[in-house]
C-alpha cells in the first residue's frame, strides 16, 4: 500500500531513509552497490577515514572558489566608483542605486546557474562543472576591467555591464555547489563539517582579497588615478588568478563517491526532474530555504557587505579606514568558520546555525547604534570590533551549512538539489539585501531602517529551522556506495 507523502523535512529531504520510500513511487530510486572496482575500494577507504590527499582536494577547491568570490565581490567593493563610470551623471544617489541593482542582477540569476551547472555536475561530474564556472567567471570579470565607460560608448556601457554580471551570477551559481560537494565526497563522515568548513572560508577570503587588492592598487597609483583608471586593475588581475586556479583544478580527479555512482550506472538521467519533480521535493526546497539558507544569507551579507556600505555611505567613514576595519575583522574571524564546522561534527549543524541567526536578529540594532557612536570621531578599533562581532554570527551560520546541505540530499542528485536552495537564499535574500537596505534608509531617512530586512528573515529562519530541520550529521553519505544497503543502520554504527 502506497504511503502518503510526509510533511516534515526529516521524512522528505532526500535523506537516506527517504530514498527507499520514494523508490516505490518511481523517484529517487537507490539500490545498494557491491564495490567491485578500484573506485569503489577508494570510496570505502575514504568513508573509513582514509583522507590521504584530501588537503590537495581542499586546496584546489578552496583556491578556485576564493578567486570566484574575489571576482564576484570586486564589483561590490568598487560600487561607489563604478557608479560614476558606467551610468550617466547628475544624481549620485540614483547612480549608486543603479550600480547596486546591477550588483544584485548577478545574484538574481544564481539559481539559474545552480540548475544549469548542477545538472551538468550530476550528469557529467563535479570536476567538469566547476572548471567551466571558473573560466566563465574569470573571463567576465576581466572583461569588466576592459569595458569602456559611459562617456565613451554611452548606453552600451551599462547594458554590457549587466550582461557580464549575468554571466558572473550564472557561474557562481554552479561554483559553490560543485566545490562543497567535491570536498564532502572526499571526506570521511565523522569529519565532514571540519573539511567542508574550509570551503566556507573562501567567500570571506575572496572579499578580503578584493579589499586587499583595492588598497594596494590605490596606494600604488594614487587616489585620483585610481578613480580614473586604477579601479580597472583589480578586475584585470583576475586573469592571472584564474589561470593559476585552473592549472591546479585540472589536475584533480573526480570525486570517489560520484565515480562509483557513474561506474555502476546509478547517476541520474534527469537530475532536475528528480530534484524538483514532485511536491514532496518542493517541500524540501522551501524548508531548506526558509529554515537554513535564507537566514544564513542575510546574516552573511549584513555582517560582511552591508557593514561596509553602512560605514562608507551612511556614516561617511573614510574609504581606506572602512576597508581596513572590515578586512581586519574578516582576518580575525576566518578561523571561526573551521571551528564551528568542526564543532558541528560533534554537536550537530542545526543548533549552531539557529543560534547564529538568533544572536544576529537580537543584536544587530545595538551593534549598529554603537557603530554610529564610534564613527564621529572615528574610532577604528571599536568599529573593527563591532564588525568582528557580526563576522562571528556569519561563521556560526555559514561554517556548518555546506555539510548540512550535502547531507540533505542523495548523491545522484546532490549537486542540483543543494545548489538551488543555497543560491535562492544567497542570491535573492542575500544579494538583494544591500539595495533593499539602502533603499529603506533613503526612503525613511532612518539610518537603521536597513536592518529590518535581515532581522525579519533571520527570525523566520530561527522559527522554521527549529521546527522542521532535522540534523543528519551522524548519518553516512557513503552508505549509498558501500555494501549492506542499509544507510541508516550503517550511519548509526558510525555515530
Amino acid at each position: 500500500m502506497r504511503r502518503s507523502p510526509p510533511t516534515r523535512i526529516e521524512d522528505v529531504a532526500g535523506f537516506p531513509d527517504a530514498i527507499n520510500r520514494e523508490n516505490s513511487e518511481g523517484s529517487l530510486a537507490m539500490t545498494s552497490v557491491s564495490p567491485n572496482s578500484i573506485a569503489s575500494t577508494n570510496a570505502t577507504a575514504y568513508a573509513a577515514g582514509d583522507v590521504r590527499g584530501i588537503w590537495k582536494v581542499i586546496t584546489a577547491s578552496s583556491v578556485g572558489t576564493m578567486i570566484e568570490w574575489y571576482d564576484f565581490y570586486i564589483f561590490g567593493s568598487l560600487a561607489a566608483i563604478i557608479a560614476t563610470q558606467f551610468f550617466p551623471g547628475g544624481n549620485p544617489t540614483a547612480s549608486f542605486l543603479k550600480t547596486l541593482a546591477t550588483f544584485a542582477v548577478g545574484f538574481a540569476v544564481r539559481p539559474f546557474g545552480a540548475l544549469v551547472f548542477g545538472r551538468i555536475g550530476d550528469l557529467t561530474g563535479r570536476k567538469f562543472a566547476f572548471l567551466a564556472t571558473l573560466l566563465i567567471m574569470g573571463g567576465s570579470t576581466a572583461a569588466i576591467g576592459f569595458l569602456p565607460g559611459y562617456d565613451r560608448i554611452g548606453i552600451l556601457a551599462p547594458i554590457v555591464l549587466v550582461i557580464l554580471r549575468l554571466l558572473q551570477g550564472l557561474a557562481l551559481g554552479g561554483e559553490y555547489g560543485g566545490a562543497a560537494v567535491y570536498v564532502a565526497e572526499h571526506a570521511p563522515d565523522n569529519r565532514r563539517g571540519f573539511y567542508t568548513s574550509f570551503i566556507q572560508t573562501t567567500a570571506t577570503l575572496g572579499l578580503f582579497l578584493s579589499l586587499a587588492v583595492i588598497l594596494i592598487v590605490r596606494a600604488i597609483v594614487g587616489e585620483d588615478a585610481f578613480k580614473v583608471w586604477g579601479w580597472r586593475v583589480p578586475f584585470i588581475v583576475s586573469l592571472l588568478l584564474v589561470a593559476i586556479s585552473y592549472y591546479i583544478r585540472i589536475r584533480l580527479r573526480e570525486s570517489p563517491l560520484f565515480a562509483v555512482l557513474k561506474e555502476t550506472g546509478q547517476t541520474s538521467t534527469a537530475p532536475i526532474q528528480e530534484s524538483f519533480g514532485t511536491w514532496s521535493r518542493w517541500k524540501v526546497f522551501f524548508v531548506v530555504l526558509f529554515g537554513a539558507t535564507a537566514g544564513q544569507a542575510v546574516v552573511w551579507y549584513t555582517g560582511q557587505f552591508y557593514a561596509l556600505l553602512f560605514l562608507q555611505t551612511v556614516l561617511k567613514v573614510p574609504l581606506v579606514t572602512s576597508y581596513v576595519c572590515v578586512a581586519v575583522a574578516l582576518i580575525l574571524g576566518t578561523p571561526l568558520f573551521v571551528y564551528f564546522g568542526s564543532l558541528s561534527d560533534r554537536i550537530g549543524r542545526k543548533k549552531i546555525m539557529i543560534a547564529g541567526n538568533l544572536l544576529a536578529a537580537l543584536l544587530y540594532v545595538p551593534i549598529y547604534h554603537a557603530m554610529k557612536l564610534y564613527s564621529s570621531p572615528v574610532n577604528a578599533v571599536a568599529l573593527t570590533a563591532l564588525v568582528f562581532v557580526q563576522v562571528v554570527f556569519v561563521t556560526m551560520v555559514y561554517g556548518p551549512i555546506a555539510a548540512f546541505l550535502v547531507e540533505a540530499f542523495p548523491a545522484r542528485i546532490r549537486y542540483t538539489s543543494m545548489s538551488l536552495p543555497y543560491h535562492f537564499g544567497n542570491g535573492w535574500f542575500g544579494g538583494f539585501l544591500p539595495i533593499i537596505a539602502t533603499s529603506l534608509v533613503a526612503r525613511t531617512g532612518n539610518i537603521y531602517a536597513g536592518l529590518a530586512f535581515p532581522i525579519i528573515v533571520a527570525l523566520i529562519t530561527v522559527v522554521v529551522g527549529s521546527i522542521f530541520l532535522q540534523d543528519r550529521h551522524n548519518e553516512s553519505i557513503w552508505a549509498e556506495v558501500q555494501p549492506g544497503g542499509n544507510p541508516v543502520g550503517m550511519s548509526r554504527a558510525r555515530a
Side-chain angles (χ1 to χ4, degrees):
M1 181 174 66
R2 178 174 295 184
R3 299 174 62 180
S4 59
T7 56
R8 288 171 66 84
I9 188 170
E10 56 263 38
D11 297 321
V12 301
F15 296 121
D17 53 335
I19 299 169
N20 293 327
R21 178 170 61 253
E22 295 197 24
N23 187 31
S24 63
E25 300 181 7
S27 64
L28 296 186
M30 190 74 69
T31 58
S32 62
V33 178
S34 297
N36 57 5
S37 66
I38 294 175
S40 300
T41 302
N42 288 341
T44 302
Y46 274 109
D50 181 358
V51 292
R52 288 172 297 179
I54 194 170
W55 290 110
K56 178 180 178 182
V57 169
I58 291 172
T59 299
S61 301
S62 299
V63 169
T65 306
M66 180 187 70
I67 290 171
E68 292 214 34
W69 281 111
Y70 164 87
D71 286 348
F72 199 73
Y73 281 112
I74 200 74
F75 188 99
S77 300
L78 292 171
I81 293 178
I82 290 174
T84 66
Q85 296 290 325
F86 295 105
F87 294 95
N91 188 331
T93 301
S95 295
F96 183 66
L97 287 174
K98 290 175 184 176
T99 304
L100 289 182
T102 304
F103 182 63
V105 162
F107 288 91
V109 299
R110 279 172 60 176
F112 301 100
L115 290 177
V116 171
F117 292 104
R119 181 177 182 274
I120 293 172
D122 283 328
L123 286 174
T124 306
R126 314 334 190 178
K127 176 182 173 180
F128 175 80
F130 68 29
L131 280 175
T133 62
L134 180 67
L135 294 177
I136 294 172
M137 177 67 84
S140 301
T141 301
I144 292 176
F146 292 107
L147 180 64
Y150 186 87
D151 59 339
R152 294 183 58 187
I153 59 174
I155 195 63
L156 281 178
I159 291 175
V160 175
L161 184 66
V162 169
I163 293 173
L164 293 174
R165 284 297 293 173
L166 288 172
L167 290 174
Q168 285 186 317
L170 287 171
L172 194 61
E175 165 64 25
Y176 175 82
V181 170
Y182 189 77
V183 171
E185 292 181 348
H186 278 85
D189 288 315
N190 61 349
R191 298 288 280 164
R192 190 160 44 246
F194 171 71
Y195 287 119
T196 56
S197 67
F198 287 93
I199 292 294
Q200 303 307 93
T201 68
T202 58
T204 297
L205 292 175
L207 178 57
F208 169 74
L209 182 62
S210 72
L211 297 178
V213 172
I214 289 171
L215 290 175
I216 292 171
V217 174
R218 187 191 298 267
I220 293 174
V221 304
E223 185 70 23
D224 293 337
F226 186 83
K227 290 181 178 179
V228 176
W229 61 267
W231 64 268
R232 297 181 179 273
V233 175
F235 288 95
I236 298 173
V237 166
S238 174
L239 289 175
L240 175 62
L241 298 177
V242 168
I244 295 172
S245 179
Y246 184 83
Y247 174 77
I248 296 173
R249 283 189 172 187
I250 196 65
R251 299 160 66 88
L252 297 176
R253 297 180 180 179
E254 187 53 78
S255 89
L257 196 155
F258 183 83
V260 175
L261 289 179
K262 193 167 186 178
E263 177 185 290
T264 55
Q266 294 197 73
T267 54
S268 174
T269 57
I272 295 178
Q273 174 65 24
E274 288 192 38
S275 297
F276 309 108
T278 64
W279 170 237
S280 66
R281 306 308 305 163
W282 277 108
K283 283 189 285 188
V284 177
F285 167 82
F286 285 117
V287 171
V288 172
L289 174 62
F290 290 106
T293 62
Q296 167 261 302
V298 296
V299 172
W300 200 100
Y301 287 98
T302 300
Q304 297 190 121
F305 192 75
Y306 183 66
L308 180 64
L309 283 180
F310 189 80
L311 288 172
Q312 293 180 347
T313 63
V314 177
L315 300 182
K316 307 301 182 183
V317 174
L319 287 179
V320 173
T321 302
S322 63
Y323 283 138
V324 171
C325 289
V326 173
V328 172
L330 295 179
I331 293 174
L332 295 175
T334 295
L336 294 177
F337 287 105
V338 179
Y339 170 76
F340 286 115
S342 180
L343 182 64
S344 74
D345 285 326
R346 301 192 295 275
I347 69 172
R349 330 287 186 204
K350 174 179 171 177
K351 60 184 66 175
I352 298 174
M353 295 188 297
I354 294 297
N357 279 288
L358 183 59
L359 287 172
L362 295 176
L363 297 178
Y364 274 153
V365 171
I367 286 173
Y368 277 75
H369 272 284
M371 289 172 68
K372 181 178 185 299
L373 177 65
Y374 289 109
S375 66
S376 181
V378 173
N379 184 327
V381 174
L383 291 175
T384 300
L386 290 167
V387 176
F388 171 75
V389 174
Q390 297 177 66
V391 173
V392 174
F393 304 153
V394 171
T395 62
M396 295 178 70
V397 300
Y398 201 55
I401 203 166
F404 169 81
L405 291 172
V406 166
E407 292 157 358
F409 305 100
R412 60 188 280 116
I413 57 170
R414 179 170 291 136
Y415 200 147
T416 303
S417 296
M418 70 169 278
S419 293
L420 192 64
Y422 176 81
H423 286 293
F424 256 111
N426 285 270
W428 290 28
F429 288 88
F432 286 103
L433 186 148
I435 190 170
I436 292 173
T438 303
S439 298
L440 287 173
V441 172
R443 177 177 290 273
T444 64
N446 185 335
I447 64 173
Y448 307 111
L451 297 173
F453 179 67
I455 289 174
I456 291 172
V457 175
L459 288 175
I460 291 173
T461 299
V462 170
V463 174
V464 175
S466 298
I467 297 173
F468 293 106
L469 286 188
Q470 178 73 12
D471 217 321
R472 298 283 171 166
H473 72 286
N474 278 334
E475 296 194 358
S476 175
I477 66 172
W478 295 94
E480 299 174 31
V481 295
Q482 288 182 307
N486 185 356
V488 178
M490 294 186 65
S491 302
R492 296 294 180 247
R494 291 186 57 81

